[in-house]
Amino acid sequence: LKDAQKQTLKRCLNVSRYQSKSLEWTSFYLWKFNVFMHNFVKQKSKIKTEALFREYSVGINNSHMIRKLSEQLEQCELELKYKSQRVSQMKQKILNVYVTLANAIKHANGKKSFKLNLEDHKLGELFDLFIPAMKNNTFLKEINLGGNTLTEAQIVALFTTLRSDGSLIALRLPNSELTQESIGAICNFLAGRVSLRLLDLSGNMLGMSLAELSLALSKSARFEHLNFANCSISPMATKSQSQDEIQDFAQTLHGMDHLKTVNLNQNNLKDRGTNAILDSLQNSPKLRELELSHCSLTLDDNTTALCEVLKSCPQLKTLNISHTNISPQNTKKVLNQLENSKCLQILDISGNNFDDNCLENLLTLLEQCINIHTLKCSQSAFRDSHLATLMTYIGHRFINLEHIYLGELDFEMGVFCFFFVG
């Protein structure tokens, strides 16, 4: 403290002793003065310390105020103790529920299979209850542990415990912050696992382990549903990841002729990577959902490969090519090819450029594919005339179209007036 502050503190102590003989008052005053000095130094206030002292020296004589504050403090302590007890009771109840669930899994019989869904439960150490419960269990059909951020040791213990001859069909671990060691344990588990049909690793960084994962998937060619959205499957994801690893991953997809859904959104695949994957998907005639948002389709070869996939997949129901930088000319080619996809139900072409020819092809597509019930074209380069024409057709002809997403389109209010009046 500076000399002036020391003198003020000394005067404060003298005044407090003179005005009250109570040690509680003196300690209370010193606490208040300490808080004030802290605020004074922290905020660099221009108010003099003498003024602060005079303000608080008035309150120190008010015993009623001190008694009231003490009562409030005591009440707060009681409430905090009660809430702490309630929290402890709730934690114990939650623990009992998880223990009961773990015991049910451990003693499950062969009469009925079951699914374990613990997504976003924030289990932490509680997950250790389930690892021994899954040992020698052959009736578990589905595991969903997404959003739990399990440790490497827990992941390794889990997939070491699960039986290789089990009947697990679906494995979901989205947004689990998987490390390279954790992915390695998963790959060892996947190798030769013929019962698995669904794998969801979305939201995890797979870049460093893509080659290992591709090798494991190639040994289990019966997969029907793959979700690798936002998994950094990109040539620029890491310095060690080369284009050859993308080619290996594409080659793995080539051998999966049972694929029904493929989600590669948000992976920022470059032109060569997208082209390799599309070439592989031509061997998946049962494909029903294809998600390629934010994957590059700038080259003509990409569009040609995509059209070949659409041609070889007549059962396709969902196509997402939003934000792919596809040119209007190539968009026209895709829309022309989609006219033969009679099963198409959901089309997302958001974030791409359109011209008059694209609009004509889109309207023809909506006429030909009567099963389309959802159209997404937000953030697209529609002109006001395009939007007016689209709205008019939808309002008068396409009764099967249930949802249309326009998003952040730039249009004038007169367009909507035209549509509603029409």
Side-chain angles (χ1 to χ4, degrees):
L1 295 176
K2 296 182 179 179
D3 293 337
Q5 294 173 343
K6 291 180 179 179
Q7 293 177 4
T8 303
L9 177 59
K10 185 176 181 180
R11 290 177 57 188
C12 294
L13 294 174
N14 291 335
V15 171
S16 63
R17 293 193 188 98
Y18 175 76
Q19 293 181 347
S20 86
K21 297 180 180 180
S22 171
L23 182 60
E24 292 183 0
W25 290 11
T26 303
S27 60
F28 175 77
Y29 174 76
L30 288 176
W31 172 72
K32 297 294 289 186
F33 179 79
N34 203 15
V35 172
F36 235 120
M37 291 302 298
H38 175 74
N39 292 334
F40 175 76
V41 175
K42 183 178 180 181
Q43 299 175 5
K44 298 182 179 180
S45 174
K46 296 182 180 180
I47 303 176
K48 294 182 179 180
T49 309
E50 295 284 348
L52 302 180
F53 164 70
R54 286 195 299 270
E55 180 179 348
Y56 276 87
S57 64
V58 177
I60 196 62
N61 297 319
N62 193 341
S63 59
H64 175 72
M65 179 190 69
I66 298 175
R67 191 182 308 111
K68 186 176 181 180
L69 289 174
S70 299
E71 293 175 355
Q72 292 179 354
L73 178 61
E74 184 178 359
Q75 182 66 26
C76 289
E77 290 177 349
L78 291 175
E79 292 180 358
L80 182 61
K81 184 178 180 180
Y82 173 74
K83 291 180 179 180
S84 178
Q85 292 176 350
R86 290 288 297 166
V87 170
S88 299
Q89 293 174 0
M90 292 301 297
K91 286 183 177 180
Q92 187 60 42
K93 289 182 179 180
I94 293 174
L95 177 60
N96 293 338
V97 171
Y98 282 125
V99 170
T100 303
L101 179 59
N103 289 332
I105 296 174
K106 185 176 181 179
H107 298 95
N109 53 40
K111 295 181 180 180
K112 183 183 296 186
S113 59
F114 61 91
K115 303 176 182 179
L116 180 62
N117 188 350
L118 298 174
E119 186 174 9
D120 294 327
H121 278 230
K122 311 300 180 186
L123 291 173
E125 296 180 355
L126 289 175
F127 184 70
D128 294 336
L129 296 170
F130 294 91
I131 295 177
M134 296 181 187
K135 188 176 182 179
N136 298 325
N137 194 306
T138 59
F139 316 115
L140 191 59
K141 294 294 185 181
E142 181 176 337
I143 298 178
N144 189 348
L145 300 174
N148 281 293
T149 60
L150 303 177
T151 63
E152 288 184 357
Q154 289 175 325
I155 293 290
V156 173
L158 169 64
F159 290 102
T160 304
T161 300
L162 290 173
R163 290 183 53 164
S164 59
D165 59 344
S167 56
L168 189 66
I169 295 177
L171 176 61
R172 303 177 190 269
L173 290 168
N175 304 310
S176 298
E177 298 182 10
L178 297 177
T179 63
Q180 190 171 2
E181 183 178 349
S182 300
I183 297 174
I186 295 173
C187 292
N188 292 334
F189 173 77
L190 293 177
R193 177 75 59 162
V194 295
S195 63
L196 270 176
R197 296 292 181 269
L198 184 149
L199 179 62
D200 184 356
L201 297 178
S202 58
N204 294 292
M205 301 291 288
L206 302 181
M208 295 290 292
S209 305
L210 184 59
E212 186 178 5
L213 181 62
S214 299
L215 180 61
L217 292 176
S218 64
K219 298 178 181 180
S220 305
R222 296 288 297 180
F223 279 104
E224 297 178 357
H225 310 277
L226 294 178
N227 188 350
F228 292 153
N230 194 21
C231 286
S232 299
I233 303 177
S234 170
M236 302 301 293
T238 60
K239 294 182 180 180
S240 62
Q241 186 178 358
S242 65
Q243 190 69 35
D244 293 337
E245 294 177 342
I246 302 292
Q247 296 289 344
D248 293 340
F249 179 71
Q251 188 64 31
T252 300
L253 296 179
H254 180 76
M256 298 182 179
D257 54 352
H258 297 279
L259 278 176
K260 294 181 179 179
T261 64
V262 176
N263 189 338
L264 296 174
N265 288 342
Q266 304 291 334
N267 278 300
N268 194 26
L269 288 171
K270 303 303 179 183
D271 292 319
R272 288 182 58 190
T274 304
N275 197 63
I277 289 175
L278 289 174
D279 286 341
S280 300
L281 291 177
Q282 295 177 23
N283 193 40
S284 302
K286 298 181 180 180
L287 193 65
R288 297 179 182 178
E289 297 182 14
L290 179 59
E291 304 273 354
L292 293 173
S293 178
H294 291 86
C295 297
S296 179
L297 291 174
T298 56
L299 299 180
D300 293 339
D301 292 342
N302 301 143
T303 307
T304 302
L306 176 59
C307 290
E308 290 298 323
V309 172
L310 299 178
K311 183 179 179 179
S312 60
C313 301
Q315 301 180 31
L316 190 70
K317 294 183 178 181
T318 300
L319 177 63
N320 182 357
I321 55 171
S322 61
H323 302 280
T324 53
N325 296 322
I326 188 171
S327 65
Q329 182 179 0
N330 289 331
T331 302
K332 180 181 177 181
K333 294 180 182 179
V334 174
L335 294 175
N336 280 335
Q337 183 60 50
L338 282 173
E339 292 179 10
N340 299 320
S341 302
K342 304 302 181 181
C343 296
L344 190 65
Q345 297 178 0
I346 301 175
L347 177 62
D348 190 349
I349 50 177
S350 304
N352 296 309
N353 295 322
F354 287 85
D355 57 15
D356 294 336
N357 294 329
C358 292
L359 180 62
E360 292 180 4
N361 288 105
L362 178 60
L363 298 177
T364 303
L365 172 64
L366 293 175
E367 281 187 346
Q368 296 293 328
C369 300
I370 59 175
N371 291 319
I372 296 180
H373 58 72
T374 301
L375 174 64
K376 299 180 181 180
C377 49
S378 59
Q379 298 180 345
S380 299
F382 273 120
R383 294 200 299 268
D384 288 349
S385 58
H386 292 166
L387 187 60
T389 304
L390 178 62
M391 286 297 195
T392 303
Y393 268 74
I394 292 173
H396 291 282
R397 299 190 183 185
F398 307 127
I399 57 175
N400 291 329
L401 193 62
E402 299 175 359
H403 308 283
I404 178 169
Y405 297 87
L406 301 178
E408 300 177 2
L409 286 175
D410 185 14
F411 51 82
E412 297 179 358
M413 192 60 191
V415 174
F416 277 106
C417 294
F418 174 82
F419 167 66
F420 287 116
V421 171

Coordinates of all heavy atoms in Angstrom, one line a residue, residues 116-180:
L116 N -28.4 -50.4 -26.9 CA -27.9 -49.6 -25.8 C -27.6 -48.2 -26.4 O -26.7 -47.9 -27.2 CB -26.6 -50.2 -25.3 CG -25.9 -49.4 -24.2 CD1 -26.8 -49.3 -22.9 CD2 -24.6 -50.0 -23.8
N117 N -28.5 -47.2 -26.0 CA -28.4 -45.8 -26.4 C -28.0 -44.9 -25.2 O -28.9 -44.6 -24.4 CB -29.7 -45.4 -27.1 CG -29.6 -44.0 -27.7 OD1 -28.6 -43.3 -27.6 ND2 -30.6 -43.6 -28.5
L118 N -26.8 -44.5 -25.2 CA -26.3 -43.6 -24.1 C -25.8 -42.3 -24.7 O -24.8 -41.7 -24.2 CB -25.2 -44.3 -23.3 CG -25.7 -45.6 -22.5 CD1 -24.5 -46.2 -21.9 CD2 -26.8 -45.2 -21.5
E119 N -26.3 -41.9 -25.8 CA -25.8 -40.7 -26.5 C -26.0 -39.4 -25.6 O -27.0 -39.2 -25.1 CB -26.5 -40.5 -27.8 CG -26.0 -39.4 -28.7 CD -26.6 -39.3 -30.0 OE1 -27.6 -40.0 -30.3 OE2 -26.1 -38.5 -30.9
D120 N -24.9 -38.6 -25.5 CA -24.9 -37.4 -24.8 C -25.3 -37.5 -23.3 O -25.8 -36.6 -22.7 CB -25.9 -36.4 -25.4 CG -25.4 -36.0 -26.8 OD1 -24.2 -35.9 -27.1 OD2 -26.3 -35.7 -27.7
H121 N -24.9 -38.7 -22.7 CA -25.2 -38.9 -21.3 C -24.0 -38.3 -20.4 O -24.2 -38.3 -19.2 CB -25.3 -40.4 -21.0 CG -26.7 -40.9 -21.3 ND1 -27.4 -41.6 -20.4 CD2 -27.5 -40.7 -22.4 CE1 -28.6 -41.9 -20.9 NE2 -28.7 -41.4 -22.1
K122 N -22.9 -37.9 -21.1 CA -21.8 -37.4 -20.3 C -21.4 -38.3 -19.2 O -21.3 -38.0 -18.0 CB -22.1 -36.0 -19.7 CG -22.8 -35.0 -20.7 CD -21.8 -34.7 -21.8 CE -22.5 -33.7 -22.8 NZ -21.7 -33.5 -24.0
L123 N -21.1 -39.6 -19.6 CA -20.9 -40.6 -18.6 C -19.6 -40.5 -17.8 O -19.6 -40.6 -16.6 CB -20.9 -42.0 -19.3 CG -22.3 -42.4 -19.9 CD1 -22.1 -43.7 -20.7 CD2 -23.3 -42.7 -18.8
G124 N -18.5 -40.2 -18.5 CA -17.3 -40.1 -17.8 C -16.9 -41.4 -17.1 O -16.9 -42.5 -17.8
E125 N -16.6 -41.4 -15.8 CA -16.2 -42.6 -15.1 C -17.4 -43.6 -15.0 O -17.1 -44.8 -14.7 CB -15.7 -42.2 -13.7 CG -14.4 -41.4 -13.8 CD -14.0 -41.0 -12.4 OE1 -14.7 -41.4 -11.4 OE2 -12.9 -40.4 -12.3
L126 N -18.6 -43.1 -15.1 CA -19.7 -44.1 -15.0 C -19.7 -45.1 -16.1 O -20.3 -46.2 -15.9 CB -21.1 -43.3 -15.0 CG -21.4 -42.4 -13.8 CD1 -22.7 -41.7 -14.1 CD2 -21.6 -43.3 -12.6
F127 N -19.1 -44.8 -17.2 CA -19.1 -45.8 -18.3 C -18.3 -47.1 -17.9 O -18.6 -48.2 -18.4 CB -18.4 -45.2 -19.5 CG -18.5 -46.1 -20.7 CD1 -19.7 -46.4 -21.3 CD2 -17.3 -46.7 -21.2 CE1 -19.7 -47.3 -22.4 CE2 -17.3 -47.6 -22.2 CZ -18.5 -47.9 -22.9
D128 N -17.5 -47.0 -16.9 CA -16.7 -48.2 -16.4 C -17.7 -49.3 -15.9 O -17.3 -50.4 -15.8 CB -15.8 -47.8 -15.3 CG -14.6 -46.9 -15.8 OD1 -14.4 -47.0 -17.1 OD2 -14.1 -46.1 -15.1
L129 N -18.9 -48.9 -15.5 CA -19.9 -49.9 -15.1 C -20.4 -50.8 -16.2 O -20.7 -51.9 -16.0 CB -21.1 -49.1 -14.5 CG -21.0 -48.3 -13.2 CD1 -22.2 -47.5 -13.0 CD2 -20.6 -49.2 -12.1
F130 N -20.3 -50.3 -17.4 CA -20.9 -51.0 -18.6 C -19.9 -51.9 -19.2 O -20.3 -52.9 -19.9 CB -21.5 -50.1 -19.6 CG -22.6 -49.3 -19.1 CD1 -22.5 -48.0 -18.5 CD2 -23.9 -49.8 -19.2 CE1 -23.6 -47.3 -18.0 CE2 -25.0 -49.1 -18.8 CZ -24.8 -47.8 -18.2
I131 N -18.6 -51.7 -19.1 CA -17.6 -52.5 -19.8 C -17.6 -53.9 -19.4 O -17.7 -54.8 -20.2 CB -16.2 -51.9 -19.6 CG1 -16.1 -50.5 -20.2 CG2 -15.1 -52.8 -20.1 CD1 -14.8 -49.7 -20.0
P132 N -17.6 -54.2 -18.1 CA -17.7 -55.7 -17.7 C -19.1 -56.3 -18.0 O -19.2 -57.5 -18.2 CB -17.4 -55.7 -16.2 CG -17.8 -54.3 -15.7 CD -17.4 -53.4 -16.9
A133 N -20.1 -55.4 -18.0 CA -21.5 -55.9 -18.3 C -21.6 -56.4 -19.8 O -22.4 -57.3 -20.0 CB -22.5 -54.8 -18.0
M134 N -20.8 -55.8 -20.7 CA -20.9 -56.2 -22.1 C -20.1 -57.5 -22.4 O -20.1 -58.0 -23.5 CB -20.4 -55.1 -23.0 CG -21.3 -53.9 -22.9 SD -20.7 -52.6 -24.0 CE -21.8 -51.2 -23.5
K135 N -19.3 -58.0 -21.4 CA -18.5 -59.1 -21.7 C -19.3 -60.4 -21.9 O -20.3 -60.6 -21.2 CB -17.5 -59.3 -20.5 CG -16.5 -60.4 -20.7 CD -15.5 -60.5 -19.6 CE -14.4 -61.5 -19.8 NZ -13.4 -61.6 -18.7
N136 N -18.9 -61.1 -22.9 CA -19.6 -62.3 -23.3 C -21.1 -62.1 -23.6 O -21.9 -63.0 -23.5 CB -19.5 -63.4 -22.2 CG -18.1 -63.8 -21.9 OD1 -17.3 -63.8 -22.8 ND2 -17.8 -64.0 -20.7
N137 N -21.5 -60.9 -24.0 CA -22.9 -60.6 -24.3 C -23.1 -60.7 -25.8 O -22.4 -60.0 -26.6 CB -23.3 -59.2 -23.9 CG -24.8 -59.0 -23.9 OD1 -25.4 -59.2 -24.9 ND2 -25.3 -58.6 -22.7
T138 N -23.9 -61.6 -26.3 CA -24.1 -61.9 -27.7 C -25.5 -61.4 -28.2 O -25.9 -61.6 -29.3 CB -24.0 -63.4 -28.0 OG1 -25.0 -64.1 -27.2 CG2 -22.7 -63.9 -27.7
F139 N -26.2 -60.6 -27.3 CA -27.6 -60.2 -27.6 C -27.6 -58.7 -27.9 O -28.7 -58.1 -28.1 CB -28.5 -60.6 -26.5 CG -28.3 -62.0 -26.0 CD1 -27.9 -62.2 -24.7 CD2 -28.5 -63.0 -26.9 CE1 -27.7 -63.5 -24.3 CE2 -28.3 -64.3 -26.4 CZ -27.9 -64.6 -25.1
L140 N -26.5 -58.0 -27.9 CA -26.5 -56.6 -28.1 C -26.5 -56.3 -29.6 O -25.6 -56.7 -30.3 CB -25.2 -56.0 -27.4 CG -25.1 -54.5 -27.3 CD1 -26.3 -53.9 -26.5 CD2 -23.8 -54.1 -26.7
K141 N -27.5 -55.6 -30.0 CA -27.7 -55.3 -31.5 C -27.1 -53.9 -31.9 O -26.7 -53.7 -33.0 CB -29.2 -55.4 -31.8 CG -29.8 -56.8 -31.7 CD -29.2 -57.7 -32.7 CE -29.9 -59.1 -32.6 NZ -29.3 -60.0 -33.6
E142 N -27.2 -53.0 -31.0 CA -26.8 -51.6 -31.4 C -26.2 -50.9 -30.2 O -26.7 -51.0 -29.0 CB -28.0 -50.8 -31.9 CG -27.7 -49.4 -32.3 CD -28.9 -48.6 -32.9 OE1 -29.8 -49.3 -33.4 OE2 -28.9 -47.4 -32.9
I143 N -25.1 -50.1 -30.4 CA -24.4 -49.3 -29.4 C -24.4 -47.9 -29.9 O -23.8 -47.7 -31.0 CB -23.0 -49.9 -29.1 CG1 -23.1 -51.3 -28.5 CG2 -22.3 -49.0 -28.1 CD1 -21.7 -51.9 -28.3
N144 N -24.8 -47.0 -29.1 CA -24.8 -45.5 -29.4 C -24.2 -44.8 -28.2 O -24.8 -44.7 -27.2 CB -26.1 -45.0 -29.7 CG -26.1 -43.5 -30.3 OD1 -25.0 -42.9 -30.2 ND2 -27.2 -43.0 -30.8
L145 N -22.9 -44.4 -28.4 CA -22.2 -43.7 -27.3 C -21.7 -42.3 -27.7 O -20.8 -41.8 -27.2 CB -21.0 -44.6 -26.8 CG -21.3 -46.0 -26.3 CD1 -20.0 -46.7 -26.1 CD2 -22.1 -45.9 -25.1
G146 N -22.4 -41.7 -28.6 CA -22.0 -40.4 -29.2 C -22.1 -39.3 -28.1 O -22.9 -39.3 -27.2
G147 N -21.1 -38.4 -28.2 CA -21.1 -37.2 -27.4 C -20.6 -37.5 -26.0 O -20.9 -36.6 -25.1
N148 N -20.0 -38.6 -25.7 CA -19.6 -38.9 -24.3 C -18.1 -38.7 -24.0 O -17.7 -38.7 -22.9 CB -19.9 -40.4 -24.0 CG -21.4 -40.6 -23.6 OD1 -21.9 -40.2 -22.6 ND2 -22.1 -41.3 -24.5
T149 N -17.3 -38.4 -25.1 CA -15.9 -38.1 -24.9 C -15.2 -39.1 -24.0 O -14.7 -38.7 -22.9 CB -15.7 -36.7 -24.5 OG1 -16.3 -36.5 -23.2 CG2 -16.2 -35.7 -25.4
L150 N -15.3 -40.4 -24.3 CA -14.7 -41.4 -23.5 C -13.2 -41.4 -23.6 O -12.6 -40.9 -24.6 CB -15.2 -42.8 -23.9 CG -16.8 -43.0 -23.8 CD1 -17.1 -44.3 -24.3 CD2 -17.3 -42.7 -22.4
T151 N -12.5 -41.8 -22.6 CA -11.1 -41.8 -22.6 C -10.5 -43.0 -23.5 O -11.3 -43.9 -23.9 CB -10.5 -42.0 -21.2 OG1 -10.9 -43.3 -20.7 CG2 -11.0 -40.9 -20.3
E152 N -9.3 -42.9 -23.9 CA -8.7 -43.9 -24.7 C -8.8 -45.3 -24.0 O -9.1 -46.3 -24.6 CB -7.2 -43.6 -25.0 CG -7.0 -42.4 -26.0 CD -5.5 -42.2 -26.2 OE1 -4.7 -42.9 -25.6 OE2 -5.2 -41.4 -27.1
A153 N -8.5 -45.3 -22.7 CA -8.5 -46.5 -22.0 C -9.9 -47.2 -22.0 O -10.1 -48.4 -22.1 CB -8.1 -46.3 -20.5
Q154 N -11.0 -46.3 -21.9 CA -12.3 -46.8 -21.9 C -12.7 -47.4 -23.3 O -13.3 -48.4 -23.4 CB -13.3 -45.7 -21.5 CG -13.2 -45.3 -20.0 CD -14.1 -44.2 -19.7 OE1 -14.3 -43.2 -20.5 NE2 -14.7 -44.2 -18.5
I155 N -12.3 -46.7 -24.3 CA -12.6 -47.2 -25.7 C -11.9 -48.5 -26.0 O -12.5 -49.5 -26.5 CB -12.1 -46.1 -26.7 CG1 -13.0 -44.9 -26.6 CG2 -12.2 -46.7 -28.1 CD1 -14.4 -45.1 -27.1
V156 N -10.6 -48.6 -25.6 CA -9.8 -49.8 -25.8 C -10.4 -51.0 -25.0 O -10.6 -52.1 -25.5 CB -8.4 -49.6 -25.4 CG1 -7.6 -50.9 -25.4 CG2 -7.7 -48.6 -26.3
A157 N -10.8 -50.7 -23.7 CA -11.4 -51.7 -22.9 C -12.8 -52.2 -23.5 O -13.1 -53.4 -23.4 CB -11.6 -51.2 -21.5
L158 N -13.6 -51.3 -24.0 CA -14.9 -51.6 -24.5 C -14.7 -52.6 -25.7 O -15.3 -53.6 -25.7 CB -15.6 -50.3 -25.0 CG -16.9 -50.6 -25.8 CD1 -17.9 -51.3 -25.0 CD2 -17.4 -49.2 -26.3
F159 N -13.9 -52.2 -26.7 CA -13.8 -53.0 -27.9 C -12.9 -54.3 -27.7 O -12.9 -55.2 -28.5 CB -13.3 -52.2 -29.1 CG -14.3 -51.2 -29.5 CD1 -14.2 -49.8 -29.2 CD2 -15.4 -51.6 -30.3 CE1 -15.1 -48.9 -29.6 CE2 -16.3 -50.7 -30.7 CZ -16.2 -49.3 -30.3
T160 N -12.2 -54.3 -26.6 CA -11.5 -55.5 -26.3 C -12.5 -56.5 -25.6 O -12.4 -57.7 -25.7 CB -10.3 -55.3 -25.3 OG1 -9.5 -54.3 -25.9 CG2 -9.5 -56.5 -25.0
T161 N -13.5 -56.0 -24.9 CA -14.4 -56.8 -24.2 C -15.5 -57.4 -25.1 O -15.9 -58.5 -24.9 CB -15.1 -55.9 -23.1 OG1 -14.1 -55.4 -22.2 CG2 -16.1 -56.7 -22.3
L162 N -15.9 -56.6 -26.1 CA -17.0 -57.1 -26.9 C -16.6 -58.4 -27.7 O -15.5 -58.5 -28.2 CB -17.4 -56.0 -27.9 CG -18.1 -54.8 -27.4 CD1 -18.3 -53.8 -28.5 CD2 -19.5 -55.2 -26.8
R163 N -17.5 -59.3 -27.7 CA -17.2 -60.6 -28.3 C -17.1 -60.5 -29.9 O -17.9 -59.7 -30.5 CB -18.2 -61.6 -28.0 CG -18.1 -62.1 -26.5 CD -19.1 -63.2 -26.2 NE -19.0 -64.3 -27.1 CZ -19.6 -65.5 -26.8 NH1 -20.2 -65.7 -25.7 NH2 -19.5 -66.5 -27.7
S164 N -16.2 -61.2 -30.5 CA -16.1 -61.1 -31.9 C -17.2 -61.9 -32.6 O -17.4 -61.6 -33.8 CB -14.7 -61.7 -32.3 OG -14.6 -63.0 -31.9
D165 N -17.8 -62.8 -31.9 CA -18.9 -63.6 -32.5 C -20.3 -63.1 -32.1 O -21.3 -63.8 -32.3 CB -18.8 -65.0 -32.1 CG -18.9 -65.2 -30.6 OD1 -18.7 -64.2 -29.9 OD2 -19.1 -66.4 -30.1
G166 N -20.3 -61.8 -31.7 CA -21.6 -61.2 -31.3 C -22.5 -60.9 -32.5 O -22.1 -61.0 -33.7
S167 N -23.7 -60.3 -32.2 CA -24.6 -60.0 -33.3 C -24.8 -58.5 -33.4 O -25.9 -58.0 -33.8 CB -26.0 -60.7 -33.0 OG -26.4 -60.3 -31.7
L168 N -23.8 -57.7 -33.1 CA -23.9 -56.3 -33.2 C -24.1 -55.8 -34.6 O -23.3 -56.2 -35.5 CB -22.6 -55.6 -32.6 CG -22.6 -54.1 -32.5 CD1 -23.6 -53.7 -31.4 CD2 -21.2 -53.6 -32.1
I169 N -25.1 -55.0 -34.8 CA -25.5 -54.6 -36.2 C -25.1 -53.1 -36.4 O -24.7 -52.8 -37.5 CB -27.0 -54.7 -36.4 CG1 -27.4 -56.2 -36.4 CG2 -27.4 -54.1 -37.7 CD1 -28.9 -56.4 -36.5
A170 N -25.2 -52.3 -35.4 CA -25.0 -50.8 -35.5 C -24.1 -50.3 -34.5 O -24.2 -50.6 -33.3 CB -26.3 -50.1 -35.5
L171 N -23.1 -49.5 -34.9 CA -22.1 -48.9 -34.0 C -22.1 -47.4 -34.2 O -21.7 -47.0 -35.3 CB -20.7 -49.5 -34.1 CG -19.6 -48.9 -33.3 CD1 -19.9 -49.0 -31.8 CD2 -18.3 -49.5 -33.6
R172 N -22.5 -46.6 -33.2 CA -22.6 -45.2 -33.4 C -21.7 -44.5 -32.3 O -21.8 -44.7 -31.1 CB -24.0 -44.7 -33.2 CG -25.0 -45.3 -34.2 CD -26.4 -44.8 -33.9 NE -27.4 -45.5 -34.6 CZ -27.9 -45.2 -35.8 NH1 -27.4 -44.1 -36.4 NH2 -28.9 -45.9 -36.4
L173 N -20.7 -43.7 -32.8 CA -19.8 -43.0 -32.0 C -19.6 -41.6 -32.5 O -18.5 -41.1 -32.6 CB -18.4 -43.7 -31.8 CG -18.4 -45.0 -31.1 CD1 -17.1 -45.7 -31.3 CD2 -18.6 -44.8 -29.6
P174 N -20.7 -40.8 -32.8 CA -20.5 -39.5 -33.3 C -20.0 -38.5 -32.2 O -20.4 -38.6 -31.1 CB -21.9 -39.1 -33.8 CG -22.8 -39.9 -32.9 CD -22.1 -41.2 -32.6
N175 N -19.2 -37.5 -32.7 CA -18.8 -36.5 -31.8 C -18.2 -37.0 -30.5 O -18.5 -36.5 -29.4 CB -19.9 -35.5 -31.5 CG -20.5 -34.9 -32.8 OD1 -19.8 -34.4 -33.6 ND2 -21.8 -35.0 -32.9
S176 N -17.3 -38.0 -30.6 CA -16.7 -38.6 -29.4 C -15.3 -38.2 -29.1 O -14.7 -38.8 -28.2 CB -16.9 -40.1 -29.5 OG -18.2 -40.5 -29.6
E177 N -14.7 -37.3 -29.9 CA -13.3 -36.9 -29.8 C -12.4 -38.1 -29.7 O -11.5 -38.2 -28.8 CB -13.2 -36.0 -28.5 CG -14.0 -34.8 -28.5 CD -13.8 -33.9 -27.3 OE1 -12.9 -34.2 -26.5 OE2 -14.6 -32.9 -27.1
L178 N -12.5 -39.0 -30.7 CA -11.7 -40.2 -30.8 C -10.3 -39.8 -31.1 O -10.0 -39.0 -32.0 CB -12.3 -41.1 -31.8 CG -13.7 -41.7 -31.6 CD1 -14.1 -42.5 -32.7 CD2 -13.8 -42.5 -30.3
T179 N -9.4 -40.4 -30.4 CA -7.9 -40.3 -30.6 C -7.5 -41.3 -31.6 O -8.2 -42.3 -32.0 CB -7.1 -40.3 -29.3 OG1 -7.3 -41.7 -28.8 CG2 -7.6 -39.3 -28.3
Q180 N -6.2 -41.2 -32.0 CA -5.7 -42.2 -33.0 C -5.6 -43.6 -32.4 O -5.9 -44.6 -33.0 CB -4.3 -41.8 -33.4 CG -3.7 -42.6 -34.6 CD -2.4 -42.0 -35.1 OE1 -2.0 -41.0 -34.6 NE2 -1.9 -42.6 -36.1

